């Protein structure tokens, strides 16, 4: 059994064919120096050609049965013809170098798919589950939804789930690209494939097996790496007429000159090996680099489109802002009171309210050490205005100007304060106790600390317009825009209005990326040239439907994804230029003399190596990505853009 396994592994090893063929060529060259060994030398050289060429002929035959005339056919015809006319060295050299090229291509694609291999490697095999009060070790796929899984220090999380109890730090790099461990506590979400760096967690399983975020990522990357880019599809069409053209040209040249060797040489030299690999290797490398950084790109077509993005439309709530209101201001208007009095009365009154703005007021009061336990004696919500409550026998009013007037509270001193806070993009609420104005509290959705830098970075990588689309009021939208530096604000929009805004940008010639939460932004996301879902770790629908899915809730990933797309397309163009220049130079060399079949194949393989090495650069994270300044991003983008344009 071990012997059979060893033979199978040898046949599967990508370098086995080039190695055997190369040894036979070396033996042939060595025996040629032995007097009288000419026949043995020729037989060894033919054997080398057969070993290296058998697979090529099989591939050509399969392609012909599917009515595809490919590059393998060129090499097969050239090698067989060379053997027939006695040019054994040329036949062996052509097939050997082509086999080396196939092995290099296989090795390179394997290397560039390393991101997927790494994801598969981190998929956990076992889980420790609590069953009937006992710890039981089972296969990760055998965990049932709802079961309690134990995650100990150093262990991999085997399922998606929610922390029931305990504290710990998890390395989530495989899912979000986040390099620092993330602290987890009760109520936090965890993902399969992450690794505990300390602590002990009890997790209720919500996603197991193929339903985990990790499994969906692996599936998406597999699909994306196999999807063809527009350039790759063009190359397929190009090969469909190029190969027959080269065969016909060689036939005409051979008949016109009577030089069969020259015709066969033209066949071999015309093989655009570097051109064939130039696009796939760049696409796979770019998508692999993105997967490592928590950026899932749906396929090569979307990678190319992303490189042309020059307008980005951003939802405000949850994208530019945190999506959760926070207390921003407490203004004291009654000289007999202080900040804690105003905040305390407001929080005690709001304790009986279900309004979303009640929570940030209560949380701020607790954070200030104020006692907000218990409920008001009575609560009277006034829709669209605020709330009237009785707290410890005191009548407390919290709301807008209209509510104060309806409750006969003097408002002369508060109107200016309310207007100024509203102008700053906040939601102000006056607080009155027993008919006397005490002060004003204001809440607002906090702008993300990295939003301004993200907008600068988008401009740095070549995005000309950054537009905010929001259903919020013009005042709030303008206040947020002033902080983050967007180029245009469109406020008070319904979902269909956001769709119209995206179409308007497209009608003005922009290639538009829409970034949103995928719910009320769904029509705009679908209409945009590229739909981007952000912070979708654990969200299966977003991973499957978004053109680009940013796993981490990190705004820096957005310009990073555009930068990666531009780098990838620049490499594609460079590779195509290298491949076409090589073919053109070699064809000229054949027609005007001086380039032999073996020399031509050697130059071809060198060009393949150059194309591969160029694409491998994408697997490295550029220094600009690791720097914090936008200037580095701009410099990196300009360098790639310039090189790509020259190519």
């Amino acid at each position: 059994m071990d012997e059979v396994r060893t033979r199978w592994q040898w046949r599967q090893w990508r370098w086995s064919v080039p190695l055997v063929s190369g040894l036979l060529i070396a033996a042939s060259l060595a025996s040629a120096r032995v007097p009288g060994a000419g026949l043995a030398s020729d037989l060894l050289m033919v054997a080398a050609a057969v070993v290296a060429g058998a697979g090529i002929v099989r591939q050509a035959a399969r392609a012909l049965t599917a009515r595809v005339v490919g590059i393998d056919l060129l090499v097969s015809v050239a090698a067989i013809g060379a053997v027939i006319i006695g040019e054994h060295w040329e036949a062996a050299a052509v097939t050997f170098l082509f086999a080396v090229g196939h092995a290099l291509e296989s090795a390179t694609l394997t290397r560039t798919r390393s991101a997927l291999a790494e994801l598969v490697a981190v998929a956990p095999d076992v889980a420790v589950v609590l069953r009937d009060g006992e710890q039981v070790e089972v296969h990760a796929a055998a965990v049932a939804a709802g079961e309690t899984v134990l995650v100990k220090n150093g262990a991999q999380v085997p399922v998606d789930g929610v922390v029931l109890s305990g504290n710990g730090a998890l390395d989530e790099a495989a899912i979000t690209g986040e390099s620092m461990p993330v602290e987890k506590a009760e109520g936090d979400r965890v993902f399969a494939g992450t690794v505990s760096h300390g602590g002990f967690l009890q997790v209720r399983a919500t996603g197991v097996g193929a339903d985990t975020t990790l499994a969906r990522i692996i599936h998406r990357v597999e699909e994306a790496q196999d999807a063809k880019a527009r350039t790759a599809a063009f190359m397929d069409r190009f090969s469909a007429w190029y190969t027959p053209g080269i065969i016909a040209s060689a036939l005409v040249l051979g008949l016109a000159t009577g030089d069969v060797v020259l015709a066969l040489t033209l066949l071999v030299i015309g093989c655009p090996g570097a051109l064939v690999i130039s696009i796939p290797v760049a696409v796979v490398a770019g998508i692999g680099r993105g997967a490592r950084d928590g950026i899932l790109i749906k396929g090569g077509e979307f990678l190319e489109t992303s490189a042309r993005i020059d307008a980005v439309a951003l939802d405000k709530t949850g994208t530019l802002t945190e999506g959760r209101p926070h207390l921003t201001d407490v203004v004291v208007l009654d000289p007999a009171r202080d900040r804690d009095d105003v905040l305390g009365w407001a929080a005690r009154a709001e304790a009986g309210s279900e309004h979303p703005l009640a929570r940030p007021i209560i949380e701020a009061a607790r954070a200030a050490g104020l006692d907000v336990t218990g409920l008001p004696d009575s609560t009277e919500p006034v829709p669209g205005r605020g709330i009237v409550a009785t707290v410890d026998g005191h009548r407390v009013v919290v709301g807008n100007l209209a509510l104060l007037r309806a409750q006969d509270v003097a408002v002369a001193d508060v109107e200016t304060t309310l207007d100024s806070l509203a102008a700053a993009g906040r939601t102000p609420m006056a607080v009155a106790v027993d008919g006397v104005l005490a002060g004003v509290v204001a809440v607002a959705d906090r702008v993300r600390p990295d939003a301004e830098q993200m907008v600068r970075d988008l401009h740095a990588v070549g995005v000309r317009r950054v537009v905010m689309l929001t259903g919020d009021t013009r005042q709030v939208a303008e206040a947020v825009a002033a902080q983050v530096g967007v180029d245009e604000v469109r406020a008070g929009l319904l979902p269909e209005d956001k769709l119209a805004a995206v179409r308007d940008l497209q009608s003005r010639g922009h290639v538009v990326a829409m970034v949103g939460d995928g719910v009320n932004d769904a029509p705009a996301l679908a209409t945009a040239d590229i739909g981007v879902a952000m912070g979708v770790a654990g969200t299966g629908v977003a991973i499957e439907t978004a053109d680009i899915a940013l796993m981490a809730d990190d705004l820096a990933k957005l310009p990073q994804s555009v930068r990666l797309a531009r780098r990838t397309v620049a490499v594609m163009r460079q590779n195509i230029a290298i491949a076409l220049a090589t073919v053109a130079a070699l064809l000229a060399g054949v027609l005007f003399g001086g380039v032999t079949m073996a020399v031509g194949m050697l130059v071809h393989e060198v060009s393949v190596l150059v194309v591969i090495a160029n694409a491998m650069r994408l697997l490295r994270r550029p220094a600009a990505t690791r720097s914090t300044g936008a200037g580095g991003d701009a410099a990196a983008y300009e360098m790639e853009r310039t090189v790509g344009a020259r190519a």
Side-chain angles (χ1 to χ4, degrees):
M1 181 64 72
D2 290 340
E3 184 180 346
V4 172
R5 185 182 296 111
T6 300
R7 288 202 302 269
W8 182 85
Q9 289 174 341
W10 169 255
R11 287 197 298 269
Q12 294 300 311
W13 186 46
R14 65 174 63 91
W15 293 104
S16 57
V17 169
L19 179 59
V20 172
S21 179
L23 290 174
L24 289 171
I25 290 173
S28 174
L29 294 175
S31 63
R33 301 191 178 193
V34 179
L39 179 60
S41 176
D42 288 343
L43 289 175
L44 286 170
M45 199 66 79
V46 171
V50 171
V51 168
I56 301 170
V57 173
R58 284 195 299 270
Q59 290 288 347
R62 289 196 197 102
L64 282 175
T65 59
R67 298 182 180 181
V68 175
V69 179
I71 304 304
D72 289 325
L73 182 62
L74 286 180
V75 177
S76 300
V77 172
I80 293 170
V83 171
I84 291 173
I85 65 174
E87 298 290 344
H88 304 135
W89 156 247
E90 279 75 8
V94 165
T95 53
F96 169 74
L97 288 171
F98 202 75
V100 169
H102 269 305
L104 283 171
E105 179 179 350
S106 174
T108 304
L109 290 178
T110 299
R111 170 74 178 88
T112 55
R113 289 179 188 268
S114 59
L116 181 58
E118 289 173 7
L119 286 173
V120 174
V122 302
D125 295 323
V126 298
V128 178
V129 184
L130 272 182
R131 290 179 177 172
D132 298 326
E134 295 184 3
Q135 298 185 23
V136 181
E137 188 172 288
V138 300
H139 193 278
V143 178
E147 285 195 295
T148 299
V149 177
L150 306 182
V151 181
K152 303 175 183 180
N153 183 22
Q156 286 182 310
V157 179
V159 296
D160 283 6
V162 178
V163 177
L164 294 174
S165 65
N167 293 276
L170 298 183
D171 179 356
E172 296 186 338
I175 303 297
T176 66
E178 173 58 54
S179 59
M180 298 298 293
V182 180
E183 293 293 330
K184 298 292 182 180
E186 183 178 347
D188 289 336
R189 301 185 69 182
V190 298
F191 308 111
T194 57
V195 181
S196 173
H197 280 198
F200 177 77
L201 299 173
Q202 292 189 41
V203 176
R204 178 173 57 82
T206 58
V208 297
D211 291 329
T212 65
T213 299
L214 179 62
R216 285 190 289 265
I217 293 173
I218 292 172
H219 175 66
R220 167 56 66 219
V221 176
E222 283 176 334
E223 284 188 337
Q225 291 186 339
D226 290 335
K228 285 186 179 293
R230 290 180 183 174
T231 308
F234 166 77
M235 294 307 303
D236 287 345
R237 294 193 299 272
F238 172 78
S239 296
W241 63 262
Y242 175 81
T243 298
I246 289 293
I247 293 176
S249 299
L251 182 62
V252 170
L253 183 64
L255 293 173
T257 63
D259 190 339
V260 178
V261 174
L262 179 62
L264 291 173
T265 302
L266 181 64
L267 278 178
V268 174
I269 299 307
C271 301
L275 196 60
V276 172
I277 195 177
S278 59
I279 304 304
V281 72
V283 168
V284 171
I287 289 174
R289 176 69 263 172
R292 286 183 181 178
D293 294 335
I295 301 169
L296 297 187
I297 302 171
K298 197 171 184 179
E301 178 182 351
F302 300 100
L303 193 63
E304 283 194 86
T305 303
S306 297
R308 297 186 290 111
I309 290 171
D310 62 356
V312 174
L314 298 158
D315 181 38
K316 178 185 74 69
T317 304
T319 302
L320 291 173
T321 65
E322 294 177 355
R324 297 179 65 232
H326 298 266
L327 182 76
T328 57
D329 299 89
V330 179
V331 180
V332 181
L333 297 177
D334 185 349
R337 300 188 182 277
D338 58 18
R339 183 184 188 279
D340 286 352
D341 280 336
V342 175
L343 180 57
W345 283 114
R348 292 287 305 279
E350 293 286 4
S353 172
E354 296 180 352
H355 195 280
L357 297 185
R359 182 188 51 77
I361 296 173
I362 295 169
E363 287 181 352
R366 285 177 181 155
L370 303 178
D371 182 12
V372 291
T373 57
L375 295 174
D377 302 327
S378 66
T379 302
E380 181 188 345
V382 183
R385 295 187 176 185
I387 190 171
V388 179
T390 303
V391 180
D392 295 337
H394 297 278
R395 189 169 179 80
V396 183
V397 178
V398 182
N400 58 20
L401 205 59
L403 180 61
L404 294 182
R405 287 172 175 154
Q407 295 295 319
D408 296 326
V409 177
V411 297
D413 298 330
V414 73
E415 196 165 354
T416 302
T417 302
L418 294 176
D419 289 343
S420 62
L421 288 171
R426 295 158 190 172
T427 302
M429 292 165 279
V431 181
V433 182
D434 294 330
V436 178
L437 190 63
V440 175
V441 294
V443 298
D445 189 1
R446 196 181 304 170
V447 174
R448 290 175 181 259
D450 53 350
E452 184 180 2
Q453 182 64 50
M454 180 269 293
V455 174
R456 284 202 300 265
D457 288 348
L458 283 175
H459 286 139
V461 298
V463 175
R464 289 188 287 141
R465 292 202 69 75
V466 180
V467 183
M468 179 201 298
L469 306 180
T470 179
D472 216 332
T473 64
R474 169 64 61 175
Q475 278 185 320
V476 172
E478 292 286 1
V480 173
Q483 293 183 61
V484 302
V486 298
D487 302 302
E488 183 181 344
V489 177
R490 302 193 184 192
L493 304 181
L494 297 172
E496 55 268 28
D497 298 324
K498 293 183 180 182
L499 169 62
V502 169
R503 284 179 173 164
D504 178 58
L505 289 169
Q506 291 171 325
S507 69
R508 288 191 267 163
H510 291 293
V511 178
V512 183
M514 174 67 194
V515 186
D517 57 18
V519 183
N520 61 340
D521 302 317
L525 285 166
T527 301
D529 298 283
I530 293 292
V532 182
M534 191 177 71
V536 300
T539 309
V541 174
I543 292 174
E544 294 299 326
T545 58
D547 300 327
I548 296 179
L550 308 181
M551 302 307 295
D553 196 16
D554 180 1
L555 289 176
K557 298 288 186 185
L558 183 57
Q560 185 179 342
S561 63
V562 177
R563 188 184 309 113
L564 173 63
R566 294 185 190 277
R567 289 180 61 218
T568 303
V569 169
V571 167
M572 287 183 192
R573 292 171 178 165
Q574 293 157 17
N575 283 353
I576 291 172
I578 292 167
L580 290 177
T582 301
V583 171
L586 288 175
L587 288 176
V590 170
L591 295 175
F592 295 104
V595 175
T596 65
M597 189 182 296
V599 169
M601 278 306 297
L602 182 61
V603 173
H604 263 308
E605 295 310 319
V606 170
S607 69
V608 168
L609 285 173
V610 171
V611 163
I612 288 172
N614 192 40
M616 295 285 278
R617 294 188 302 118
L618 293 169
L619 293 176
R620 300 196 312 267
R621 180 178 297 178
T625 302
R626 296 188 292 267
S627 68
T628 56
D633 293 338
Y637 162 66
E638 187 61 30
M639 179 184 70
E640 292 286 353
R641 187 185 65 80
T642 303
V643 174
R646 289 174 182 168

